[in-house]
Tab-separated table of all heavy atoms in Angstrom:
chain	number	residue	atom	x	y	z
A	27	PRO	N	9.102	-16.920	-8.035
A	27	PRO	CA	7.673	-16.782	-8.329
A	27	PRO	C	7.031	-18.080	-8.794
A	27	PRO	O	7.706	-18.886	-9.397
A	27	PRO	CB	7.620	-15.749	-9.440
A	27	PRO	CG	8.964	-15.121	-9.497
A	27	PRO	CD	9.929	-16.082	-8.875
A	28	PRO	N	5.766	-18.214	-8.550
A	28	PRO	CA	4.950	-17.350	-7.716
A	28	PRO	C	5.084	-17.713	-6.242
A	28	PRO	O	5.326	-18.861	-5.896
A	28	PRO	CB	3.531	-17.613	-8.209
A	28	PRO	CG	3.554	-19.016	-8.696
A	28	PRO	CD	4.959	-19.251	-9.217
A	29	ASP	N	4.928	-16.739	-5.410
A	29	ASP	CA	4.989	-16.925	-3.970
A	29	ASP	C	3.739	-16.286	-3.356
A	29	ASP	O	3.777	-15.174	-2.848
A	29	ASP	CB	6.260	-16.297	-3.401
A	29	ASP	CG	6.482	-16.621	-1.933
A	29	ASP	OD1	5.548	-17.143	-1.287
A	29	ASP	OD2	7.580	-16.324	-1.428
A	30	ASP	N	2.619	-17.009	-3.457
A	30	ASP	CA	1.333	-16.501	-2.974
A	30	ASP	C	1.359	-16.149	-1.494
A	30	ASP	O	0.804	-15.133	-1.083
A	30	ASP	CB	0.212	-17.525	-3.206
A	30	ASP	CG	-0.125	-17.691	-4.667
A	30	ASP	OD1	-0.207	-16.684	-5.387
A	30	ASP	OD2	-0.317	-18.852	-5.091
A	31	GLU	N	2.018	-16.982	-0.701
A	31	GLU	CA	2.056	-16.752	0.746
A	31	GLU	C	2.748	-15.434	1.077
A	31	GLU	O	2.258	-14.643	1.877
A	31	GLU	CB	2.761	-17.922	1.434
A	31	GLU	CG	2.693	-17.870	2.934
A	31	GLU	CD	3.319	-19.104	3.567
A	31	GLU	OE1	3.054	-20.229	3.097
A	31	GLU	OE2	4.078	-18.928	4.534
A	32	ARG	N	3.894	-15.183	0.457
A	32	ARG	CA	4.636	-13.938	0.691
A	32	ARG	C	3.829	-12.736	0.185
A	32	ARG	O	3.783	-11.689	0.837
A	32	ARG	CB	5.994	-14.006	-0.012
A	32	ARG	CG	6.836	-12.766	0.133
A	32	ARG	CD	7.447	-12.688	1.500
A	32	ARG	NE	8.534	-11.717	1.471
A	32	ARG	CZ	8.790	-10.880	2.447
A	32	ARG	NH1	8.105	-10.926	3.548
A	32	ARG	NH2	9.771	-10.024	2.345
A	33	ALA	N	3.175	-12.888	-0.965
A	33	ALA	CA	2.361	-11.803	-1.517
A	33	ALA	C	1.251	-11.421	-0.545
A	33	ALA	O	1.015	-10.232	-0.299
A	33	ALA	CB	1.781	-12.208	-2.866
A	34	MET	N	0.579	-12.416	0.016
A	34	MET	CA	-0.491	-12.135	0.965
A	34	MET	C	0.056	-11.480	2.235
A	34	MET	O	-0.570	-10.587	2.792
A	34	MET	CB	-1.253	-13.418	1.310
A	34	MET	CG	-2.128	-13.924	0.177
A	34	MET	SD	-3.302	-12.686	-0.414
A	34	MET	CE	-4.267	-12.399	1.049
A	35	GLU	N	1.218	-11.906	2.663
A	35	GLU	CA	1.851	-11.301	3.836
A	35	GLU	C	2.121	-9.815	3.584
A	35	GLU	O	1.874	-8.968	4.446
A	35	GLU	CB	3.159	-12.030	4.133
A	35	GLU	CG	3.958	-11.459	5.277
A	35	GLU	CD	5.289	-12.181	5.430
A	35	GLU	OE1	5.324	-13.431	5.364
A	35	GLU	OE2	6.305	-11.478	5.597
A	36	LEU	N	2.598	-9.482	2.391
A	36	LEU	CA	2.880	-8.087	2.053
A	36	LEU	C	1.606	-7.251	2.003
A	36	LEU	O	1.604	-6.083	2.405
A	36	LEU	CB	3.614	-8.004	0.716
A	36	LEU	CG	4.998	-8.649	0.703
A	36	LEU	CD1	5.578	-8.630	-0.701
A	36	LEU	CD2	5.922	-7.989	1.689
A	37	LEU	N	0.525	-7.857	1.543
A	37	LEU	CA	-0.749	-7.134	1.526
A	37	LEU	C	-1.246	-6.884	2.943
A	37	LEU	O	-1.703	-5.782	3.260
A	37	LEU	CB	-1.798	-7.918	0.732
A	37	LEU	CG	-1.540	-8.044	-0.770
A	37	LEU	CD1	-2.619	-8.907	-1.419
A	37	LEU	CD2	-1.443	-6.686	-1.443
A	38	ARG	N	-1.149	-7.906	3.797
A	38	ARG	CA	-1.619	-7.785	5.190
A	38	ARG	C	-0.773	-6.820	5.998
A	38	ARG	O	-1.286	-6.062	6.815
A	38	ARG	CB	-1.591	-9.156	5.885
A	38	ARG	CG	-2.773	-10.032	5.658
A	38	ARG	CD	-2.756	-11.239	6.583
A	38	ARG	NE	-1.493	-11.955	6.605
A	38	ARG	CZ	-1.147	-12.930	5.759
A	38	ARG	NH1	-1.967	-13.306	4.813
A	38	ARG	NH2	0.012	-13.522	5.868
A	39	GLU	N	0.527	-6.860	5.800
A	39	GLU	CA	1.433	-6.105	6.665
A	39	GLU	C	1.814	-4.730	6.133
A	39	GLU	O	2.299	-3.906	6.894
A	39	GLU	CB	2.693	-6.933	6.905
A	39	GLU	CG	2.343	-8.286	7.464
A	39	GLU	CD	3.326	-8.785	8.482
A	39	GLU	OE1	4.381	-8.168	8.645
A	39	GLU	OE2	3.005	-9.798	9.100
A	40	GLY	N	1.588	-4.474	4.841
A	40	GLY	CA	2.027	-3.206	4.274
A	40	GLY	C	0.980	-2.490	3.448
A	40	GLY	O	0.553	-1.393	3.800
A	41	PHE	N	0.576	-3.102	2.357
A	41	PHE	CA	-0.369	-2.444	1.460
A	41	PHE	C	-1.697	-2.158	2.153
A	41	PHE	O	-2.185	-1.022	2.127
A	41	PHE	CB	-0.589	-3.298	0.202
A	41	PHE	CG	-1.665	-2.765	-0.696
A	41	PHE	CD1	-1.445	-1.625	-1.451
A	41	PHE	CD2	-2.895	-3.393	-0.789
A	41	PHE	CE1	-2.442	-1.114	-2.274
A	41	PHE	CE2	-3.893	-2.900	-1.610
A	41	PHE	CZ	-3.666	-1.759	-2.358
A	42	GLY	N	-2.285	-3.150	2.780
A	42	GLY	CA	-3.567	-2.967	3.468
A	42	GLY	C	-3.514	-1.888	4.536
A	42	GLY	O	-4.343	-0.974	4.539
A	43	PRO	N	-2.528	-1.957	5.455
A	43	PRO	CA	-2.431	-0.907	6.474
A	43	PRO	C	-2.186	0.495	5.899
A	43	PRO	O	-2.661	1.483	6.457
A	43	PRO	CB	-1.252	-1.355	7.344
A	43	PRO	CG	-1.242	-2.835	7.209
A	43	PRO	CD	-1.635	-3.083	5.768
A	44	THR	N	-1.476	0.574	4.784
A	44	THR	CA	-1.227	1.879	4.160
A	44	THR	C	-2.526	2.479	3.636
A	44	THR	O	-2.835	3.646	3.895
A	44	THR	CB	-0.203	1.746	3.015
A	44	THR	OG1	1.031	1.250	3.554
A	44	THR	CG2	0.058	3.080	2.336
A	45	VAL	N	-3.301	1.674	2.928
A	45	VAL	CA	-4.576	2.167	2.394
A	45	VAL	C	-5.558	2.441	3.538
A	45	VAL	O	-6.281	3.439	3.524
A	45	VAL	CB	-5.161	1.183	1.359
A	45	VAL	CG1	-6.520	1.660	0.855
A	45	VAL	CG2	-4.199	1.003	0.185
A	46	ALA	N	-5.544	1.586	4.545
A	46	ALA	CA	-6.416	1.785	5.705
A	46	ALA	C	-6.071	3.082	6.433
A	46	ALA	O	-6.965	3.792	6.910
A	46	ALA	CB	-6.326	0.592	6.650
A	47	LEU	N	-4.787	3.403	6.526
A	47	LEU	CA	-4.362	4.655	7.158
A	47	LEU	C	-4.959	5.842	6.408
A	47	LEU	O	-5.497	6.760	7.018
A	47	LEU	CB	-2.835	4.729	7.159
A	47	LEU	CG	-2.214	5.953	7.817
A	47	LEU	CD1	-0.896	5.587	8.471
A	47	LEU	CD2	-1.994	7.063	6.823
A	48	TYR	N	-4.907	5.803	5.090
A	48	TYR	CA	-5.491	6.878	4.286
A	48	TYR	C	-6.997	6.969	4.537
A	48	TYR	O	-7.534	8.064	4.737
A	48	TYR	CB	-5.203	6.649	2.802
A	48	TYR	CG	-5.855	7.674	1.913
A	48	TYR	CD1	-5.272	8.916	1.711
A	48	TYR	CD2	-7.058	7.406	1.269
A	48	TYR	CE1	-5.871	9.873	0.901
A	48	TYR	CE2	-7.670	8.347	0.461
A	48	TYR	CZ	-7.069	9.575	0.276
A	48	TYR	OH	-7.679	10.511	-0.521
A	49	CYS	N	-7.673	5.817	4.537
A	49	CYS	CA	-9.122	5.795	4.794
A	49	CYS	C	-9.437	6.387	6.164
A	49	CYS	O	-10.354	7.201	6.304
A	49	CYS	CB	-9.665	4.366	4.725
A	49	CYS	SG	-9.726	3.663	3.082
A	50	GLU	N	-8.680	5.982	7.159
A	50	GLU	CA	-8.894	6.470	8.524
A	50	GLU	C	-8.703	7.983	8.601
A	50	GLU	O	-9.488	8.689	9.245
A	50	GLU	CB	-7.941	5.768	9.477
A	50	GLU	CG	-8.062	6.194	10.910
A	50	GLU	CD	-7.008	5.538	11.800
A	50	GLU	OE1	-6.678	4.354	11.582
A	50	GLU	OE2	-6.515	6.234	12.707
A	51	ALA	N	-7.661	8.470	7.937
A	51	ALA	CA	-7.375	9.908	7.973
A	51	ALA	C	-8.477	10.706	7.291
A	51	ALA	O	-8.772	11.835	7.685
A	51	ALA	CB	-6.031	10.193	7.305
A	52	ARG	N	-9.105	10.119	6.303
A	52	ARG	CA	-10.150	10.815	5.551
A	52	ARG	C	-11.545	10.643	6.133
A	52	ARG	O	-12.425	11.442	5.873
A	52	ARG	CB	-10.162	10.332	4.096
A	52	ARG	CG	-8.958	10.758	3.319
A	52	ARG	CD	-8.932	12.262	3.207
A	52	ARG	NE	-8.074	12.672	2.131
A	52	ARG	CZ	-7.215	13.657	2.207
A	52	ARG	NH1	-7.094	14.329	3.322
A	52	ARG	NH2	-6.481	13.985	1.182
A	53	THR	N	-11.748	9.601	6.904
A	53	THR	CA	-13.108	9.334	7.387
A	53	THR	C	-13.208	9.291	8.900
A	53	THR	O	-14.293	9.143	9.424
A	53	THR	CB	-13.636	7.986	6.837
A	53	THR	OG1	-12.788	6.938	7.292
A	53	THR	CG2	-13.699	7.998	5.327
A	54	GLY	N	-12.084	9.398	9.584
A	54	GLY	CA	-12.078	9.320	11.046
A	54	GLY	C	-12.736	10.527	11.682
A	54	GLY	O	-13.303	11.386	11.015
A	55	GLY	N	-12.644	10.597	12.992
A	55	GLY	CA	-13.265	11.674	13.745
A	55	GLY	C	-12.819	13.059	13.326
A	55	GLY	O	-13.595	14.006	13.340
A	56	SER	N	-11.559	13.191	12.935
A	56	SER	CA	-11.078	14.491	12.460
A	56	SER	C	-10.407	14.291	11.105
A	56	SER	O	-9.421	13.579	10.984
A	56	SER	CB	-10.079	15.091	13.454
A	56	SER	OG	-8.980	14.241	13.635
A	57	TRP	N	-10.981	14.898	10.106
A	57	TRP	CA	-10.496	14.772	8.739
A	57	TRP	C	-9.101	15.371	8.639
A	57	TRP	O	-8.885	16.532	9.001
A	57	TRP	CB	-11.459	15.494	7.804
A	57	TRP	CG	-11.331	15.131	6.368
A	57	TRP	CD1	-11.823	14.015	5.770
A	57	TRP	CD2	-10.690	15.879	5.334
A	57	TRP	NE1	-11.543	14.026	4.430
A	57	TRP	CE2	-10.840	15.172	4.142
A	57	TRP	CE3	-10.005	17.086	5.320
A	57	TRP	CZ2	-10.330	15.607	2.927
A	57	TRP	CZ3	-9.494	17.517	4.103
A	57	TRP	CH2	-9.662	16.784	2.935
A	58	VAL	N	-8.131	14.594	8.167
A	58	VAL	CA	-6.745	15.034	8.081
A	58	VAL	C	-6.454	15.506	6.662
A	58	VAL	O	-6.756	14.807	5.701
A	58	VAL	CB	-5.785	13.880	8.455
A	58	VAL	CG1	-4.343	14.288	8.234
A	58	VAL	CG2	-6.015	13.456	9.889
A	59	ARG	N	-5.892	16.680	6.569
A	59	ARG	CA	-5.474	17.193	5.261
A	59	ARG	C	-3.971	16.976	5.143
A	59	ARG	O	-3.196	17.520	5.923
A	59	ARG	CB	-5.799	18.671	5.132
A	59	ARG	CG	-5.377	19.239	3.801
A	59	ARG	CD	-6.103	20.547	3.515
A	59	ARG	NE	-5.714	21.103	2.254
A	59	ARG	CZ	-6.226	20.736	1.082
A	59	ARG	NH1	-7.139	19.805	1.035
A	59	ARG	NH2	-5.816	21.304	-0.032
A	60	PHE	N	-3.582	16.183	4.172
A	60	PHE	CA	-2.171	15.912	3.934
A	60	PHE	C	-1.571	17.038	3.100
A	60	PHE	O	-2.209	17.532	2.162
A	60	PHE	CB	-1.995	14.600	3.161
A	60	PHE	CG	-2.467	13.380	3.897
A	60	PHE	CD1	-3.641	12.744	3.526
A	60	PHE	CD2	-1.739	12.861	4.951
A	60	PHE	CE1	-4.082	11.614	4.189
A	60	PHE	CE2	-2.170	11.735	5.627
A	60	PHE	CZ	-3.341	11.112	5.247
A	61	SER	N	-0.336	17.423	3.433
A	61	SER	CA	0.371	18.363	2.562
A	61	SER	C	0.687	17.618	1.265
A	61	SER	O	0.599	16.383	1.194
A	61	SER	CB	1.671	18.835	3.221
A	61	SER	OG	2.621	17.780	3.237
A	62	GLU	N	1.059	18.357	0.247
A	62	GLU	CA	1.392	17.721	-1.035
A	62	GLU	C	2.522	16.707	-0.855
A	62	GLU	O	2.460	15.599	-1.376
A	62	GLU	CB	1.784	18.784	-2.059
A	62	GLU	CG	2.002	18.209	-3.444
A	62	GLU	CD	2.282	19.283	-4.489
A	62	GLU	OE1	1.774	20.411	-4.339
A	62	GLU	OE2	3.007	18.976	-5.438
A	63	ALA	N	3.542	17.068	-0.093
A	63	ALA	CA	4.678	16.165	0.139
A	63	ALA	C	4.247	14.918	0.910
A	63	ALA	O	4.678	13.805	0.592
A	63	ALA	CB	5.789	16.898	0.897
A	64	GLU	N	3.408	15.088	1.917
A	64	GLU	CA	2.922	13.948	2.703
A	64	GLU	C	2.083	13.016	1.841
A	64	GLU	O	2.223	11.795	1.922
A	64	GLU	CB	2.101	14.433	3.891
A	64	GLU	CG	2.909	15.151	4.940
A	64	GLU	CD	2.046	15.905	5.927
A	64	GLU	OE1	0.887	16.258	5.611
A	64	GLU	OE2	2.555	16.153	7.046
A	65	PHE	N	1.210	13.603	1.027
A	65	PHE	CA	0.368	12.795	0.165
A	65	PHE	C	1.209	12.018	-0.842
A	65	PHE	O	0.986	10.824	-1.076
A	65	PHE	CB	-0.663	13.677	-0.555
A	65	PHE	CG	-1.619	12.889	-1.385
A	65	PHE	CD1	-2.680	12.226	-0.790
A	65	PHE	CD2	-1.456	12.790	-2.752
A	65	PHE	CE1	-3.571	11.481	-1.548
A	65	PHE	CE2	-2.329	12.048	-3.516
A	65	PHE	CZ	-3.394	11.393	-2.918
A	66	GLU	N	2.198	12.683	-1.438
A	66	GLU	CA	3.081	12.008	-2.397
A	66	GLU	C	3.841	10.868	-1.720
A	66	GLU	O	4.017	9.802	-2.305
A	66	GLU	CB	4.056	13.003	-3.020
A	66	GLU	CG	3.396	13.920	-4.023
A	66	GLU	CD	4.328	15.002	-4.543
A	66	GLU	OE1	5.539	15.005	-4.205
A	66	GLU	OE2	3.833	15.875	-5.289
A	67	ARG	N	4.289	11.094	-0.508
A	67	ARG	CA	5.008	10.056	0.238
A	67	ARG	C	4.101	8.861	0.517
A	67	ARG	O	4.501	7.707	0.346
A	67	ARG	CB	5.542	10.631	1.542
A	67	ARG	CG	6.332	9.664	2.358
A	67	ARG	CD	6.885	10.348	3.586
A	67	ARG	NE	7.640	9.413	4.375
A	67	ARG	CZ	7.977	9.632	5.619
A	67	ARG	NH1	7.656	10.761	6.208
A	67	ARG	NH2	8.648	8.741	6.287
A	68	LEU	N	2.880	9.126	0.943
A	68	LEU	CA	1.919	8.066	1.220
A	68	LEU	C	1.614	7.275	-0.052
A	68	LEU	O	1.619	6.038	-0.043
A	68	LEU	CB	0.637	8.676	1.796
A	68	LEU	CG	-0.460	7.717	2.224
A	68	LEU	CD1	0.008	6.855	3.397
A	68	LEU	CD2	-1.707	8.491	2.618
A	69	GLU	N	1.390	7.956	-1.148
A	69	GLU	CA	1.083	7.283	-2.403
A	69	GLU	C	2.282	6.495	-2.924
A	69	GLU	O	2.139	5.361	-3.390
A	69	GLU	CB	0.621	8.311	-3.435
A	69	GLU	CG	-0.154	7.691	-4.572
A	69	GLU	CD	-1.033	8.704	-5.256
A	69	GLU	OE1	-0.495	9.624	-5.902
A	69	GLU	OE2	-2.260	8.575	-5.127
Side-chain angles (χ1 to χ4, degrees):
D29 188 348
D30 290 317
E31 188 176 315
R32 179 76 164 141
M34 288 305 299
E35 177 184 316
L36 296 175
L37 293 177
R38 276 190 311 273
E39 305 217 351
F41 173 73
T44 299
V45 177
L47 182 147
Y48 176 82
C49 289
E50 180 185 323
R52 291 296 199 224
T53 61
S56 59
W57 197 79
V58 174
R59 180 161 180 83
F60 296 106
S61 71
E62 186 175 329
E64 292 166 337
F65 184 79
E66 286 174 5
R67 182 177 180 196
L68 183 65
E69 200 158 68

